[in-house]
Amino acid sequence: MSMDDPRPYDLTVDGRAVRVTARPDTPVLSVLRDDLGLLGTRTGCLQGRCGSCTVHLDGKAVQTCSLPLWSVEGRRIDTVEGPSPTLARVREAFLEEQAAQCGYCVNGIMMTVSALLDEGVRDRSEMLETLDERHLCRCGAHPRMLRAIDRLLEGAA
Amino acid sequence: MTELPSNLKSNPRLDRWIDVAPDGTITIRSGKVELGQGIGAAMLLIAASELRVDPAALTLAPADTARAPAEGFTAGSLSVEHGGAAMRLAVAMARALFMQAAEAALGAPVELENGLFSVPGTNRSVGYGDLAAEVDLSVSALDQPIPVLFGEGDGAPGFRRPDLPAKLSGAAFIQDLRLPGMLFGRVLRPEAPWLRLDGFDEAAVAALPGVVRVVRDGAFAGVVAERDDDARAAIEKARRSARWSRIGTLPTCDEAQTWLDAPAEEAETLLEDAGEPAETVTRLSSSYARGFLVHAAMGPSCAVAHWTDGRLDLHTHSQGIHPLRKQLATALRIAEDAINAVHVPGAGCYGHNAADDVALDAALLARAVDRPVMVLWSREDEMSWSPHGAAMRVDLAAGLSAEGRITHWDCRIASTPHVARPGSGNGLDLLAARDLETPHPPSTQSNFKVPDRGADRNSVPIYALPQRRVRLNQRPQGPLRSSALRALGAHANVFAVESFMDELAAAAGADPLAFRLAHCEDPRAAAVLKAAASAGGWDPDEPGGEGIGRGLGVARYKNSGAYYAAMVRVEIEESVRVVSIHGAVDAGRVVHRDGLINQVEGGAVQAVSWTLMEEARWTDEGFAVRAWEDYPVLGFRDMPEIVTEVLRSDAPPLGAGECSAGPVAGAIGNAVAHALGVRARRMPITRERVMAAMDAAL
Ligand code: FES
Ligand code: FES
């Protein structure tokens, strides 16, 4: 058996303990989508730029398209399909503002926003800076998303 | 209304548009597809208002080639104007038939409210479901009387798009489809437009883990694997051993601009006014341009194909499932009715992207196995092989009278194709078709005639001008494949027209707003212009320079669609930053106000990105744009403040997804000129171009 052969990995996804048997370098995105059927985490550029594939890893927003399975062994992953109350608030604010066009980018963006809120970030420009570095939206839905974020920041202040 | 909408005429059976089940479930079908623009919501609202039911009670079935009305492409901002008008009349005819049935059943005239037909003053009523068995919807619209139309309502305030909750949580897009036994395929494409695959180590690729099949047909090659990551790894491996040969030469990046800049000898005259020009005291001419734009959808192009007994079932996010089916049938050498294509939404689509190309890829790969195959394009291929927005050059010349009126207007456009959709030319325009062992050549000619070849879109100014001449030099495909991208030629044409209007106003010593209004005889154009200027706080005496400026832009999309005007403010330090966009739109009667604003503003944001940042490039090595990193787009940090006023109108409803691109580009050009005192005439208006313009002015 080579080091690259599939082997079982234990992790916690959306609050559930799961065991996945896969090669160690399998991207976490592919584990979520193709092993666990969690398709709300989107496949985008697979180049680490667009942010569509963002989840929470031990509470921090991370992109999963280049994140190898071996590196998340024993850790906690929360996806856009998970039960986080902060995420639920973020989603409601986004729906309230109808902050999407196609909606493809939005799940990743909501994950980053909810992680930042959980970390206690209340500063708009800090939030913007992170979103700018980690997320793209090609439809130009940003102004609406910013309105949803303002709503959340007001609510959290 | 004397004439049926053309989409209803060509799809007259009412049951193609609407079905009512005995349990009261109402399903509507549109041939117009969801591209991220929210058209589904508009169709539901239109149907709900004519059926007098809650939109939540309606289901919108996915468009497919078997059942849904064939409505060509979802493009040109025509979905509400054409598709919506057909939907409205079709469901209104159905409602009229139900009303007759209700009156027969209840034996008295009825009223319709909240989906219930009731006899006034009594408690006798029936619903749609109760009458489903009585009403035959397989009848033709051509035989129905024109029913009363209830109309658009009030723009549906507070209405939320029903598709969003699912999209903002779980599986929702074509990329999320998982059919039983489904495999994943990927295709090996060259890294330069002039390369063609000769071969690669197929045995080594076939031996990789998870690989089910290696497929070769001429220069087309791909793999089918159990998992998408297996397919990706296999393609990487194939690429390492791939041998390519060079087919033809292409101009280098600089040469291509020269090639577009070359004098347009064989220009075709699109418009030439008769008569003699008035006395001209000042003559002006300027040249404007934009490079190729990358479509750059957020999601990878995707299709799922499944062959059973020589029949193909296809899931696609194509803008035109019927034209696609026709081209696929030719490419695959099967009968058209052996293909059933179903539309599933993909990521936002702004015109002709690789959705059609990947459908042929999937059909070719799936043919080698007996299970469904999903094919996804790589980001690299998405950025370089997806059709681009065309490169354009617009030369304008005009004269002014002593009174400061325009005396003549001359426009000459050079452009690569804007319309190369599958089915719009004389060849086969699905990328893989040209690579097959028995190839199908791509189109050399478009079936589209002026005025909708794209490059000419909005080349005729909205102003009342004498002595106009517009010529088009339609260039063949250039080094980067180009086709329809949101607004087509209107982005560069309106940028040129509106920039030039400011240059003429300056030459006439006039205020740009007053100069425009003096040349404008269309009251709706004047109204959006005034509304935008007043919302943005237009002041004729506002001093420019010092890196802060404001500008105006206006157009009526295609000269037949929605009116939009913008006042833009910019700040220029190192590079240009758009600070605010005050827009005003007149799109006729409004079906869904929030959806309209979303479309107009999304178009405006995308136009800021195109105008300031975007240009596709290539080098001697091949495509230069292979990743987002190679092609920066406008992000969260640089978002302008954006405000849109929707003007009240009783005119027929118009689509609005494309109306803002041109005016915003023009307004940016004008604001930059106001801020710096020099003008950048070539998009994107990057830091380098601004510096070059300033150096040239010294
Ligand atoms: S898909 Fe991971 S960053 Fe784009
Ligand atoms: S809403 Fe379409 S990419 Fe952001």
Side-chain angles (χ1 to χ4, degrees), chain B residues 3-66:
Chain B
E3 174 99 1
L4 289 189
S6 60
N7 295 0
L8 184 54
K9 240 197 267 173
S10 51
N11 299 276
R13 265 180 65 150
L14 295 184
D15 61 357
R16 290 194 79 165
W17 300 85
I18 174 167
D19 263 337
V20 179
D23 67 358
T25 317
I26 304 178
T27 305
I28 58 164
R29 279 183 221 88
S30 165
K32 298 295 183 188
V33 299
E34 183 62 48
L35 306 172
Q37 83 283 44
I39 190 64
M43 290 299 169
L44 287 172
L45 286 168
I46 288 172
S49 75
E50 293 305 333
L51 296 169
R52 291 237 161 112
V53 297
D54 186 333
L58 297 176
T59 309
L60 178 63
D64 63 10
T65 48

Side-chain angles (χ1 to χ4, degrees), chain B residues 1 4 63 79 83 164 201 255 280 364 429 433 441 530 547 586 606:
Chain B
M1 194 185 308
L4 289 189
S79 296
L164 286 186
D201 188 345
E255 281 169 354
T280 298
L364 291 167
D429 297 306
K530 284 186 208 158
D586 170 357
Q606 200 169 56

Side-chain angles (χ1 to χ4, degrees), chain A residues 29 42-54 63-66 134, chain B residues 298 628:
Chain A
L29 177 62
R42 311 280 179 225
T43 177
C45 65
L46 306 183
Q47 291 178 332
R49 176 61 186 95
C50 74
S52 329
C53 63
T54 303
Q63 297 175 346
T64 53
C65 58
S66 321
R134 306 239 199 107
Chain B
M298 274 288 284
W628 282 113

Side-chain angles (χ1 to χ4, degrees), chain B residues 206-459:
Chain B
L208 290 173
V211 172
V212 174
R213 192 83 84 234
V214 174
V215 179
R216 259 312 278 289
D217 184 342
F220 173 82
V223 296
V224 179
E226 293 289 346
R227 297 171 62 103
D228 184 44
D229 37 324
D230 293 335
R232 287 177 69 207
I235 288 295
E236 266 171 50
K237 175 98 176 176
R239 191 176 295 287
R240 283 197 291 273
S241 67
R243 300 178 310 280
W244 310 93
S245 56
R246 203 178 165 105
I247 43 160
T249 54
L250 283 166
T252 67
C253 207
D254 289 343
E255 281 169 354
Q257 196 55 47
T258 322
W259 152 85
L260 203 56
D261 285 354
E265 262 80 38
E266 61 278 32
E268 177 186 351
T269 301
L270 307 184
L271 169 79
E272 188 158 21
D273 291 330
E276 289 298 312
E279 195 170 331
T280 298
V281 295
T282 311
R283 282 171 212 280
L284 234 61
S285 62
S286 278
S287 246
Y288 307 86
R290 84 161 192 194
F292 289 103
L293 296 176
V294 178
H295 195 113
M298 274 288 284
S301 293
C302 175
V304 181
H306 187 196
W307 290 86
T308 25
D309 304 326
R311 295 186 50 84
L312 173 64
D313 278 299
L314 181 76
H315 291 86
T316 170
H317 56 111
S318 167
Q319 278 185 291
I321 50 176
H322 288 91
L324 169 63
R325 177 166 78 154
K326 218 183 192 109
Q327 289 250 301
L328 279 176
T330 311
L332 298 164
R333 300 183 166 88
I334 58 172
E336 218 180 300
D337 59 12
I339 303 175
N340 183 36
V342 181
H343 183 268
V344 187
C349 160
Y350 322 101
H352 176 198
N353 63 11
D356 301 290
D357 299 317
V358 73
L360 178 56
D361 293 347
L364 291 167
L365 294 186
R367 217 176 206 181
V369 293
D370 55 6
R371 288 156 67 181
V373 177
M374 170 180 286
V375 176
L376 296 159
W377 269 30
S378 67
R379 181 53 29 186
E380 290 81 351
D381 288 345
E382 204 69 48
M383 297 308 248
S384 39
W385 279 111
S386 244
H388 291 71
M392 283 178 77
R393 172 189 164 129
V394 183
D395 296 332
L396 294 178
L400 287 169
S401 70
E403 297 76 41
R405 304 228 18 129
I406 295 170
T407 54
H408 67 268
W409 181 278
D410 191 79
C411 166
R412 193 181 61 186
I413 303 163
S415 174
T416 65
H418 282 272
V419 185
R421 294 176 186 285
S424 62
N426 60 350
L428 217 147
D429 297 306
L430 299 172
L431 192 57
R434 60 172 94 158
D435 292 329
L436 301 179
E437 185 73 56
T438 316
H440 301 270
S443 294
T444 49
Q445 240 181 343
S446 166
N447 295 334
F448 280 71
K449 290 285 167 264
V450 170
D452 214 5
R453 207 181 290 159
D456 50 323
R457 207 165 265 191
N458 283 95
S459 56

